[in-house]
Structures are given as structure tokens and as C-alpha cells.
Amino acid sequence: MKVLLVDDDRAIVDMLYHVLLDEGYQPTTATNGIEALEHLSRRSFDLVLTDLKMPRMGGMELLGEIGKLRNPPLVIIITGYATVETAVCAIKMGVYDYIIKPFNIDHVKLTVRRAIEKQRLERENIQLKEMIVLYNASEAISSSLEATRIIEVMLDAACVQSLADLAVLYLRDEMSRDLVLSGHQGSSGTERECEEFVGSLPAVVAENHLRPFFNGHGVRISAPGSPLHELLCAESPHRGEVGSLLSISLKANNRFVGLLNLFSLTPGVTFSDHDGRALYILAAKGAGAIENAFLYENTQQNYLQTIRSFACALEAKDRYTHGHSQQVTRYAEAIARAMKLSVDEIELLGQAGMLHDIGKIGISEAILNKPGPLTASEYEIIKQHPVTGKHILMPITSLSLIVPIVYHHHERWDGSGYPDGLGGADIPLMSRILGVADAFDAMTSIRAYRRPLAPPEAFAEIFRGSGSQFDPAIVDIFLHLRTSVEALMLRG
Ligand SMILES: [Fe+2]
């Protein structure tokens, strides 16, 4: 345990120095407040024993400065000039105890022992809280595959753990190999102040400028004027406000993938090695998770692109169904707009429309393009396409909402459809909309075995299916849209 002794009376300092040494503490001495602050800026102490009246800087002023430190030590005042006013003022400023000279050595020993024990418990408590913050963040990071969510959790935990005023994340751009500002989180000031500060920081930092600072180091703490501080605060008019900057390199699979910067804008609050060590572990975990999330999102996008291409290819090779999905989507969206569905719902319906027959990928062309009625077993194969579609789309997390729409698009209002024989409102609304749109386009399109129906005949067929094949409410809306549907037909 480190104790700082501050007194201009050499005899008292020497005596207390040996007493504390005998008690097993590591004492350091200073003869006034200025000297004491120099010691406090270089290393952390558990306890400060200070006189009140000293040249250059007295005990009360020193106490005020100690209060601004990030992890302030406890303070015991030892004075020969005690007044009720100074005692009250000192206690208000958070002083732990007040010893009057001349003092009894045993009393000093006991007071120091009690203070050290209190300090130990408080530090343990703080460490425990920090561990809980880090543990919760780590759990949240592990359980997410969304890069934006992971970044949010990481920045938030970094601010809480280090008491930083602002956390800024740079991620490496694989093409340019530069670090690009990718996220930030402020914990003090208004949102506007935070945005303004972040806006003044460099949006891109060249990796080769940064790399020399992190050769063999994962964490860097820089003070104003240092080269790293200059590089990261660059042209910012606020760089003078950044009293301390903690930078942590992010590595995933042994590759440099980004940089987490924590800014202290509070005068006197500087980051410690302890902050760096704790956050390095969190940053490493976050970096790995961000990489995984990007990889996952990339894989999902590729997969989605692949099945979209398959859907196009499926229609392209068959002149009878060419453009079918596109046309079904147009009709379905027109119905949805008339039903006043939300923009998000209409977008969802659009995606489902484009992919509703994706399951036909698994069906042979001989059956799909058969120029005549299907046999019972061929019809059974056709009926499998919503199920196959579900299996194809299910692995794409971002499409999870359209899977049931696609799966149920051949259900009938009277319950005689497939694959599950759902009826009425049990069929998802968007599947019911697709059902009407799908049937109308099939009827009005040319097929290998029949001519297309003219629009009036097709509308009449839809009307005939109201209440048996189709939801009557949707049929009503569709029939009211007759003119716009015919205009959409011309577009196809
Ligand atoms: Fe279908």
C-alpha cells in the first residue's frame, strides 16, 4: 500500500516515514502541495497524509486537486492549526480523518490502518463493478451477429469502464487499408457537442502512420503534445481539451482490424494502465465479434444474391413464366398500398413476391413446362415448392419474416390449399395478398397448354374464387383496383 506524506516539518515527515515503513506500507514524502501533486501525477497512492499549512500549496488546496483525480486516494489531515471551520470544510471536501498535532503515534497507526482498509474495500468494490460491466458487455458481444450492435455495446462499456467522455471507433477498410471512423459514443456533454467534436476528428487515419505506435503494444496512453495525440486529434480545434487519450489496437486472427480511442475531456482526469488492460480484453473480444459479424453479413448477402440469381434464371429459361415474379410483386404491392399497409410491410411483401416460387428450382423442367394437365404424382411434386422455398430461404436471417409468407402462398381461404391446409385469417395476410396476385398473373399469362385469359375473364375468375380460394376482403380491393391493375399488365 502506497502512502504519500506531505508536511514541511522535516522532523515529523521523517518520524512518520519510519512508522509507516515499520507498519509495512510504502511511504513517499513531499514538503508541500505542489510536490505532492507531482508525485500523484506519476503514480497512484492509496492514502495521503497531509499538513494544512505549507509553503507554495497548502493542504486544503491540495485536497481540492486530489478530488479531481480519477481514482483519488483517501486523505488524512494532520495539523497543528485546527479550527472548527477548517475541519468542517475538509470533511465536506471528502477528507477521511483529521488528526491534531501533537499526535499519539498509536492513534496515527490505527487511523492509517482503518483508512487503508476502507480504501481496499472501495477499490475491490469498484473492480467488481468494472468486472460486471465487462462481463455483461462480453456476453452481449458474444451473443450478437450484428456488427452495429456489437460496436454499440463495445463503445458503451468502454465509456462506463474508463469514465471516458467519448469513445470513437475506427475500423480498417480492406480496400484502402486505412482506418475509417466507424462509430462513436459520448458519455458527457450534449449530443450536439459530441457530434461536433467527432466531426472535427480525422475521418480516416492512414494505417502506416499508426502502425509504428503499436509495434509490440496493444494499448497507448497519450498526453497532449505527444505524436500519437497529435495524429489522432490532428486538425481538431478541440484537441487542447483532450487531456488524456487512451488508444487500443483491435486485432482479430492476428490482424490489425481497427482502433478504439477513448477521450478524457475532463481536466485532471487521465487514463491509467489499469483502464488499458481491462479494455484491451474487451476490445479483442469485440474485434473478433465484429469480424465474424461482417463475415456472416457478407455470407448472407452472397447467399441472397445467389438465390435471387437462381430465381431470375428459373424464369429466364421458361418463356411462359418469364417476368411472373415481377408481375406478381407489382399486383401485390398495389393491393398492399390500397390496404394502407406500412412502407416496411410493402417492402417485405415485395421481397416475398420476388422469391415466392423459388422452391420451383427443385422441380424438373419437364413437369414445370408440361404442355397438358399434370398427373396426380406430378401435382404432388409441384405442391412441394412452398416447402422447398422455405428451406432455401430459412438460412438467411434477414429474410426470416418472408419465409412464412412464401411458405403459405398456396393456402386457400376455405382451407383446401397447401402445404398446411390453413384457412381464413390463419393464413398470413401477405400470403393471402400474394395468392390473389399470383392467380391473376397465371390466368392472364400464356401457358404451353392454353391461351391467356382476357382481363375481364380473369377478374371474373378471381371474383368466383372469393370466399373459397381467396380472402373476400382482398378480392374486393383487387376488383376496385381494376384500372390500375390493367395499367400494370401493360408494363409487364
Ligand atoms: Fe407458387
Side-chain angles (χ1 to χ4, degrees):
M1 291 289 180
K2 299 182 197 78
V3 183
L4 181 59
L5 277 171
V6 195
D7 202 318
D8 57 334
D9 186 332
R10 202 69 240 174
I12 288 185
V13 167
D14 283 350
M15 190 256 287
L16 285 175
Y17 180 87
H18 288 103
V19 167
L20 291 172
L21 209 55
D22 288 349
E23 286 286 293
Y25 305 121
Q26 299 166 40
T28 300
T29 61
T31 55
N32 59 61
I34 298 283
E35 260 182 49
L37 283 178
E38 280 164 15
H39 284 299
L40 286 162
S41 69
R42 285 197 291 269
R43 55 194 287 213
S44 65
F45 286 87
D46 300 289
L47 180 66
V48 175
L49 266 77
T50 183
D51 188 10
L52 274 185
K53 288 212 165 160
M54 293 176 292
R56 296 178 70 197
M57 183 190 279
M60 291 307 282
E61 204 180 333
L62 174 62
L63 192 56
E65 293 300 317
I66 287 174
K68 295 176 190 168
L69 294 175
R70 219 180 139 255
N71 282 315
L74 285 183
V75 179
I76 296 173
I77 285 178
I78 301 184
T79 183
Y81 301 92
T83 64
V84 174
E85 286 77 20
T86 52
V88 168
C89 183
I91 283 164
K92 273 189 184 163
M93 287 172 79
V95 76
Y96 174 70
D97 213 339
Y98 208 88
I99 297 172
I100 314 278
K101 291 175 186 171
F103 48 75
N104 172 309
I105 289 293
D106 287 335
H107 176 59
V108 173
K109 284 182 189 172
L110 188 67
T111 310
V112 168
R113 234 175 272 153
R114 280 206 324 256
I116 292 281
E117 181 58 13
K118 181 176 179 338
Q119 183 71 331
R120 189 182 65 76
L121 287 174
E122 276 179 5
R123 293 234 159 120
E124 273 181 14
N125 205 8
I126 290 169
Q127 278 172 2
L128 190 65
K129 280 184 188 154
E130 286 175 357
M131 278 168 68
I132 291 170
V133 168
L134 293 176
Y135 175 78
N136 287 342
S138 174
E139 285 291 290
I141 284 171
S142 308
S143 63
S144 179
L145 274 170
E146 261 181 74
T148 44
R149 171 75 188 134
I150 296 166
I151 291 171
E152 197 182 285
V153 169
M154 198 164 103
L155 293 177
D156 204 38
C159 279
V160 173
Q161 205 283 333
S162 68
L163 299 182
D165 295 294
L166 180 70
V168 174
L169 180 74
Y170 286 86
L171 291 177
R172 187 174 182 269
D173 180 84
E174 289 303 321
M175 299 289 283
S176 65
R177 305 182 66 185
D178 287 334
L179 288 136
V180 179
L181 207 156
S182 305
H184 69 270
Q185 168 86 47
S187 64
S188 66
T190 64
E191 199 167 317
R192 209 165 131 240
E193 285 168 344
C194 177
E195 295 294 329
E196 206 237 310
F197 187 93
V198 173
S200 75
L201 295 173
V204 175
V205 180
E207 188 193 347
N208 55 354
H209 289 167
L210 205 57
R211 199 171 272 282
F213 293 103
F214 289 93
N215 273 344
H217 300 274
V219 179
R220 283 295 196 188
I221 297 172
S222 45
S226 69
L228 182 59
H229 194 282
E230 285 296 305
L231 174 69
L232 294 171
C233 298
E235 302 300 310
S236 171
H238 301 286
R239 65 183 184 279
E241 298 163 30
V242 183
S244 185
L245 175 60
L246 172 62
S247 305
I248 301 168
S249 73
L250 304 187
K251 279 190 167 180
N253 300 321
N254 256 337
R255 278 187 325 115
F256 185 55
V257 295
L259 185 71
L260 173 63
N261 284 334
L262 296 158
F263 295 82
S264 170
L265 310 175
T266 312
V269 175
T270 53
F271 296 112
S272 66
D273 292 340
H274 169 79
D275 295 325
R277 279 194 299 275
L279 289 179
Y280 186 68
I281 299 167
L282 177 79
K285 181 133 194 163
I290 290 169
E291 282 281 287
N292 279 346
F294 282 150
L295 205 62
Y296 180 72
E297 281 167 16
N298 212 356
T299 312
Q300 293 260 310
Q301 279 307 317
N302 284 343
Y303 185 63
L304 180 57
Q305 200 49 51
T306 308
I307 58 168
R308 279 195 176 130
S309 307
F310 271 129
C312 288
L314 183 76
E315 292 185 8
K317 70 180 178 183
D318 174 8
R319 68 191 177 96
Y320 298 114
T321 57
H322 184 67
H324 169 65
S325 299
Q326 176 81 59
Q327 204 57 26
V328 169
T329 303
R330 285 180 186 150
Y331 299 147
E333 285 175 347
I335 299 171
R337 276 193 292 274
M339 292 176 78
K340 305 258 184 297
L341 296 194
S342 70
V343 174
D344 287 350
E345 286 170 317
I346 294 173
E347 194 188 327
L348 201 64
L349 184 61
Q351 285 189 326
M354 289 310 291
L355 296 169
H356 74 284
D357 273 344
I358 188 72
K360 285 187 177 169
I361 282 176
I363 301 173
S364 83
E365 283 177 56
I367 299 176
L368 284 177
N369 297 332
K370 190 177 173 186
L374 297 172
T375 64
S377 63
E378 286 167 344
Y379 186 52
E380 283 308 311
I381 292 172
I382 288 280
K383 280 168 66 178
Q384 276 304 304
H385 81 272
V387 181
T388 311
K390 173 178 157 175
H391 290 309
I392 291 172
L393 300 177
M394 241 177 6
I396 310 173
T397 322
S398 61
L399 295 187
S400 60
L401 293 176
I402 77 159
V403 174
I405 307 173
V406 169
Y407 180 71
H408 291 294
H409 80 276
H410 280 290
E411 304 287 1
R412 290 170 55 110
W413 185 255
D414 61 10
S416 67
Y418 61 88
D420 287 356
L422 294 186
D426 287 343
I427 307 166
L429 173 67
M430 297 204 204
S431 305
R432 282 180 263 152
I433 296 175
L434 274 188
V436 173
D438 190 15
F440 185 80
D441 186 62
M443 290 176 205
T444 52
S445 304
I446 191 164
R447 285 290 181 267
Y449 48 91
R450 61 153 174 78
R451 66 168 183 86
L453 294 188
E457 295 173 274
F459 282 117
E461 274 301 311
I462 295 285
F463 180 67
R464 233 189 310 282
S466 178
S468 53
Q469 185 172 352
F470 310 118
D471 177 345
I474 294 172
V475 170
D476 269 0
I477 290 165
F478 190 65
L479 296 179
H480 272 101
L481 291 171
R482 194 181 287 252
T483 317
S484 21
V485 169
E486 283 180 19
L488 288 173
M489 286 176 74
L490 295 175
R491 281 183 62 192

